[in-house]
């Protein structure tokens, strides 16, 4: 009887392993906006190797900003795969500079999908959701990360009250990813009290690396490191961009072949993107000569995807190859 019971347990365990195979990522999805007239909308591009990207849908929006936002425009899209491996979350700044200029902006857009093609969305106005924050005039560049300790999705973004310095805050999304269920709290405390925006968190070797753009004291990217997701970030007080021009919108993604990470960012005064590669999230090498794109992105993010997911995107929005 004991042997039969042990065999049943082993078979059940093996069946669980078979039912949940590890996904093999062989492509990359770049989600971005372009700026300019009609540019504040979500666009997609694909790559097989993380270096050569081709726009889908002829570099036209894959979602209508008027349908998903309060202002009719979205910027700074961030996309991620959920812990279940089959759900996708995307967040973006609800912002339309064509109609309303540079603010005030108090909302973010939360989107959810199970196939990367069909998305549901919800707009969250921080000033209306939380009375404590009714003086906020900037809610910019949200991103999402899974918190394994509380088993919830944490959204973090930069926020400003009046003329104060921009600071990075965080809150947890509800189960349906349609609202924030906790009051925003400050995530990072810059030692000089200066402004910081465009947060991008990477988890590696049991540490969290927070990339962010400094504001008011140099327009560049620095990193703060912590062994906890929501506190304890210690600043590495050095810039990591490989240019003297102003940059913003750090986006970091892991290469599928395990050779390291790519850190990309928007050289917004030059109208171009720059790519760097790192193996230790400390030293970054310029690799622009290895990268090609048939579009001109603004602040966006890249997510590894499977071959099947890439084919589904091509079937919907056409082959990305010219």
């Amino acid at each position: 009887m004991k042997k039969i019971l042990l065999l049943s347990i082993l078979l059940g365990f093996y069946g669980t392993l078979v039912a949940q195979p590890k996904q093999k990522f062989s492509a990359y999805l770049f989600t971005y906006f372009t700026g300019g007239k009609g540019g504040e909308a979500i666009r997609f591009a694909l790559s097989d190797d993380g270096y050569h990207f081709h726009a889908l849908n002829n570099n036209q929006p894959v979602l209508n900003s008027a349908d998903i936002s309060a202002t009719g425009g979205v910027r700074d899209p961030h996309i991620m795969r959920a812990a279940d491996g089959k759900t996708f979350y995307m967040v973006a700044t609800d912002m339309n500079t064509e109609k309303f200029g540079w603010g005030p902006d108090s909302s973010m857009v939360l989107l959810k999908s199970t196939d990367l093609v069909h998305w549901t969305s919800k707009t969250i106005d921080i000033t209306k959701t939380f009375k404590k924050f009714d003086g906020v005039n900037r809610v910019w560049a949200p991103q999402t990360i899974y918190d394994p300790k509380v088993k919830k999705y944490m959204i973090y973004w930069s926020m400003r009250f009046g003329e104060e310095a921009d600071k990075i805050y965080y809150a947890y999304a509800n189960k349906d990813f349609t609202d924030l269920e906790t009051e925003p709290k400050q995530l990072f405390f810059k030692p000089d009290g200066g402004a910081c925006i465009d947060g991008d968190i990477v988890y590696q070797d049991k540490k969290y690396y927070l990339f962010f753009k400094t504001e008011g004291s140099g327009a560049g990217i620095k990193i703060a490191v912590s062994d906890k997701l929501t506190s304890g970030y210690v600043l590495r007080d050095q810039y990591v961009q490989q240019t003297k021009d102003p940059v913003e919108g750090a986006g970091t993604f892991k290469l599928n072949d395990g050779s390291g990470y790519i850190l990309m960012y928007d050289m917004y005064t030059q109208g171009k993107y720059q790519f760097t590669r790192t193996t230790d999230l400390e030293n970054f090498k310029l690799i622009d000569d290895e990268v090609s794109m048939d579009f001109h992105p603004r602040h966006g993010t890249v997510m590894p995807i499977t071959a099947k997911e890439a084919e589904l995107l091509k079937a919907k929005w056409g082959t990305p190859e010219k």
Side-chain angles (χ1 to χ4, degrees):
M1 179 64 73
K2 290 183 178 179
K3 289 183 178 180
I4 294 175
L5 179 59
L6 179 59
L7 181 60
S8 297
I9 293 173
L10 289 173
L11 287 173
F13 178 67
Y14 178 74
T16 300
L17 290 177
V18 172
Q20 298 177 349
K22 186 176 180 180
Q23 291 174 299
K24 181 179 180 180
F25 301 126
S26 58
Y28 304 83
L29 173 61
F30 191 167
T31 179
Y32 60 96
F33 79 104
T34 59
K37 187 174 182 180
E40 291 172 325
I42 294 170
R43 290 165 164 80
F44 284 169
L46 290 181
S47 173
D48 291 328
D49 59 8
Y51 294 88
H52 303 91
F53 289 89
H54 302 275
L56 287 169
N57 199 35
N58 294 315
N59 196 29
Q60 294 303 305
V62 296
L63 294 171
N64 185 351
S65 295
D67 294 336
I68 63 174
S69 67
T71 64
V74 297
R75 301 167 65 95
D76 322 315
H78 174 265
I79 192 167
M80 70 164 289
R81 184 185 303 271
D84 64 9
K86 59 185 180 182
T87 306
F88 303 94
Y89 297 123
M90 189 157 51
V91 288
T93 306
D94 189 340
M95 188 174 182
N96 188 330
T97 59
E98 286 187 60
K99 288 186 177 181
F100 306 109
W102 289 93
D105 303 292
S106 59
S107 299
M108 66 176 74
V109 181
L110 278 59
L111 301 104
K112 182 178 180 180
S113 175
T114 56
D115 61 5
L116 294 173
V117 173
H118 303 91
W119 295 83
T120 58
S121 65
K122 184 70 181 294
T123 300
I124 308 299
D125 188 327
I126 298 296
T127 61
K128 294 180 180 178
T129 304
F130 303 99
K131 297 296 183 181
K132 180 179 178 179
F133 296 93
D134 60 3
V136 164
N137 55 30
R138 284 183 185 168
V139 173
W140 284 0
Q143 295 202 177
T144 310
I145 188 171
Y146 181 65
D147 186 340
K149 288 191 174 181
V150 298
K151 297 181 179 179
K152 293 181 180 180
Y153 291 91
M154 187 188 96
I155 299 176
Y156 55 102
W157 67 96
S158 54
M159 189 157 63
R160 187 183 76 168
F161 287 85
E163 295 301 319
E164 295 179 8
D166 301 80
K167 297 180 176 68
I168 297 177
Y169 287 77
Y170 76 94
Y172 288 99
N174 64 5
K175 185 178 180 181
D176 297 325
F177 206 73
T178 57
D179 206 347
L180 300 179
E181 65 177 27
T182 63
E183 183 178 279
K185 294 182 179 180
Q186 190 171 341
L187 177 67
F188 173 57
F189 294 81
K190 197 164 180 277
D192 63 2
C196 46
I197 65 171
D198 296 351
D200 179 42
I201 298 176
V202 176
Y203 180 67
Q204 173 70 10
D205 295 332
K206 298 182 179 181
K207 290 186 180 296
Y208 294 94
Y209 295 78
L210 171 62
F211 293 74
F212 66 92
K213 177 197 174 185
T214 60
E215 286 276 88
S217 57
I221 296 168
K222 293 185 177 182
I223 303 174
V225 185
S226 176
D227 57 2
K228 299 177 183 178
L229 175 59
T230 59
S231 64
Y233 285 95
V234 177
L235 176 66
R236 288 180 179 171
D237 201 8
Q238 61 189 45
Y239 290 107
V240 298
Q241 73 272 10
Q242 301 300 300
T243 176
K244 293 182 180 180
D245 292 306
V247 302
E248 64 184 13
T252 313
F253 63 95
K254 192 172 185 178
L255 291 164
N256 292 331
D257 63 6
S259 61
Y261 293 82
I262 285 182
L263 163 66
M264 59 184 191
Y265 39 80
D266 186 356
M267 297 175 63
Y268 57 96
T269 63
Q270 300 299 312
K272 64 180 182 178
Y273 242 60
Q274 188 164 84
F275 285 71
T276 67
R277 185 169 54 230
T278 179
T279 57
D280 57 11
L281 297 177
E282 185 171 1
N283 300 288
F284 298 83
K285 177 184 177 182
L286 184 64
I287 57 166
D288 282 351
D289 59 345
E290 300 177 43
V291 176
S292 67
M293 297 180 288
D294 59 357
F295 55 99
H296 298 286
R298 296 293 312 280
H299 187 172
T301 50
V302 172
M303 177 184 71
I305 60 175
T306 66
K308 181 179 179 181
E309 290 162 351
E311 290 304 315
L312 287 173
L313 289 165
K314 291 178 185 179
K316 174 64 178 179
W317 286 296
T319 175
E321 306 293 341
K322 280 195 171 182

